[in-house]
């Protein structure tokens, strides 16, 4: 690993920020204490909510950690398309006996500027960005307070933009990743056209001179060894940590990852208006083909439905975000999972070394 990443974590394992509650302080602390780098997810939270989680996390561990921010999204959604989708969801609202949300409830955004101010005034070891690249002024400001910055990218061109802007590293997200695809432009014409992780890591490695954190469907130490061999400095895993007891994910979500009822994942706009990979369920099948490119409007529109489905114990109406490796999930404490991944990584490296000597 690069010297800075080595300072942040003992093992080349990063716990992905998972918005919606999974990446809670307890999970991040357990990962950090075990030698990985855990990330809080500030997306969908208020600035005060983010600050309170940071404060709680600092009370649980003195080890380095990170905070992930969603970049503000331009208001390009077609209001008429959102209204059509609202009418389509009327049956869901009746079924779950809950009103649809206000698609404009985000108002002026999720408090991005206020979050920046908090993180610059009271710095954390690392900050990552999703859905775009910050300005050079923002990244320079973080450099000035000693914060390590990571920009999530899905193409070599996005990685190049991150390097030009002054990021310290890039998180390279392959098409296999669970949750939202972190494309910098939300273009419906490119839905499902993402690049596989190993190919993408190699392409980015040839394009920029930044440390690479590889993300996308990784569940085993042998897979971590593969992305490190391809040129990454570390691997980021989300779904693998989702089932840990410290994770704040809903129990139904955790159970669904290995439930034979859910056999595959797909990219959908059904729940948030932005492409995201999750387990295929009834809601995704019925509404995915008609969901507009309208983030975060669709997210707020469906928020109440998703909460009501969870309360009713109905996984068929929930957003079950998951990477392509979800069936390999292991229900282990986060610290034990970190240790096991490290053991598997060492074994994979030893096998390669032994093989090369024969």
């Amino acid at each position: 690993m690069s010297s800075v990443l080595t300072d942040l974590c003992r093992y080349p394992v990063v716990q992905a920020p998972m918005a919606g509650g999974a990446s809670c302080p307890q999970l991040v602390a357990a990962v950090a204490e075990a030698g990985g780098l855990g990330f809080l997810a500030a997306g969908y939270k208020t600035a005060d909510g983010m600050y309170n989680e940071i404060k709680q996390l600092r009370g649980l561990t003195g080890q380095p950690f990170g905070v992930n921010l969603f970049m503000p999204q331009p208001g390009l959604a077609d209001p008429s398309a959102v209204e059509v989708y609202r009418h389509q969801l009327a049956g869901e609202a009746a079924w779950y006996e809950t009103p649809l949300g206000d698609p404009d409830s985000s108002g002026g955004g999720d408090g991005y500027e206020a979050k920046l101010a908090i993180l610059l005034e009271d710095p954390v070891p690392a900050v990552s960005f999703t859905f775009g690249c910050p300005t050079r002024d923002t990244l320079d400001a973080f450099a000035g307070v000693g914060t390590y910055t990571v920009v999530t990218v899905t193409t070599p061109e996005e990685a190049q933009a991150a390097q030009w802007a002054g990021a310290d590293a890039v998180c390279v997200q392959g098409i296999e990743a669970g949750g939202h695809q972190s494309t910098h432009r939300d273009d419906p014409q490119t839905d499902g056209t993402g690049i596989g992780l190993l190919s993408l890591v190699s392409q980015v490695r040839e394009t920029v001179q930044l440390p690479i954190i590889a993300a996308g469907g990784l569940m085993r130490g042998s897979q971590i060894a593969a992305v490190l061999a391809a040129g990454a400095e570390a691997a980021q895993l989300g779904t693998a940590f989702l089932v840990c007891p410290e994770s704040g994910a809903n129990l139904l979500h955790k159970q669904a990852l290995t439930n034979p009822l859910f056999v595959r994942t797909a990219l959908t706009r059904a729940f948030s208006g932005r492409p995201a990979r999750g387990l295929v369920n009834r809601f995704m099948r019925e509404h995915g083909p008609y969901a507009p490119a309208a983030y975060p409007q669709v997210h707020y529109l469906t928020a109440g439905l998703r909460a009501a489905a969870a309360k009713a114990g109905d996984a068929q109406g929930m957003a079950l975000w998951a990477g392509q490796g979800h069936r390999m999930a292991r229900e282990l404490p986060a610290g034990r999972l970190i240790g096991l991944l490290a053991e598997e990584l060492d074994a994979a490296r030893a096998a390669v070394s032994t093989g090369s000597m024969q």
Side-chain angles (χ1 to χ4, degrees), residues 24-279:
C24 59
Q26 291 77 13
L27 176 62
V28 178
V31 168
E33 288 293 312
L37 178 61
F39 271 85
L40 290 173
Y44 304 141
K45 290 185 175 68
T46 64
D48 285 344
M50 179 196 74
Y51 176 77
N52 288 333
E53 284 209 341
I54 292 172
K55 183 177 180 181
Q56 184 181 354
L57 177 56
R58 284 175 168 152
L60 296 173
T61 182
Q63 298 300 316
F65 63 91
V67 174
N68 175 260
L69 300 177
F70 283 175
M71 292 294 298
Q73 301 297 290
L76 302 178
D78 179 355
S80 61
V82 175
E83 187 60 24
V84 168
Y85 194 52
R86 169 187 281 279
H87 285 297
Q88 182 180 335
L89 296 177
E92 299 284 351
W95 175 257
Y96 290 114
E97 298 181 338
T98 190
L100 295 171
D102 177 3
D104 298 316
S105 62
S106 59
D110 75 341
Y112 175 73
E113 295 295 335
K115 292 173 183 176
L116 289 182
I118 290 171
L119 294 170
L120 289 170
E121 181 178 341
D122 189 8
V124 299
V127 171
S128 66
F129 299 87
T130 298
F131 299 153
C133 183
T135 64
R136 172 167 284 279
D137 285 347
T138 295
L139 293 173
D140 285 348
F142 277 113
V145 297
T147 295
Y148 191 77
T149 53
V150 182
V151 174
T152 310
V153 301
T154 61
T155 66
E157 292 76 19
E158 291 174 356
Q160 197 167 54
Q163 179 170 270
W164 288 340
D168 291 315
V170 287
C171 178
V172 173
Q173 185 196 54
I175 191 68
E176 306 93 335
H180 284 97
Q181 297 291 292
S182 301
T183 52
H184 291 192
R185 290 181 62 246
D186 186 12
D187 184 356
Q189 294 183 343
T190 64
D191 284 5
T193 62
I195 306 171
L197 180 58
L198 283 175
S199 295
L200 184 56
V201 168
S202 297
Q203 291 179 37
V204 172
R205 178 77 287 153
E206 295 175 1
T207 304
V208 301
Q209 285 73 52
L210 291 177
I212 292 172
I213 300 170
L218 303 176
M219 302 292 287
R220 295 288 188 268
S222 57
Q223 295 171 310
I224 296 174
V227 295
L228 297 184
E233 301 277 354
Q236 178 171 286
L237 292 73
T239 305
F241 287 101
L242 197 64
V243 294
C244 292
E246 299 92 342
S247 160
N250 185 282
L251 180 60
L252 290 173
H253 191 171
K254 294 182 179 184
Q255 294 172 338
L257 295 178
T258 53
N259 186 334
L261 185 65
F262 302 102
V263 297
R264 66 185 181 92
T265 66
L267 292 171
T268 186
R269 293 179 180 269
F271 298 102
S272 72
R274 230 184 187 276
R277 183 174 298 282
L279 301 175

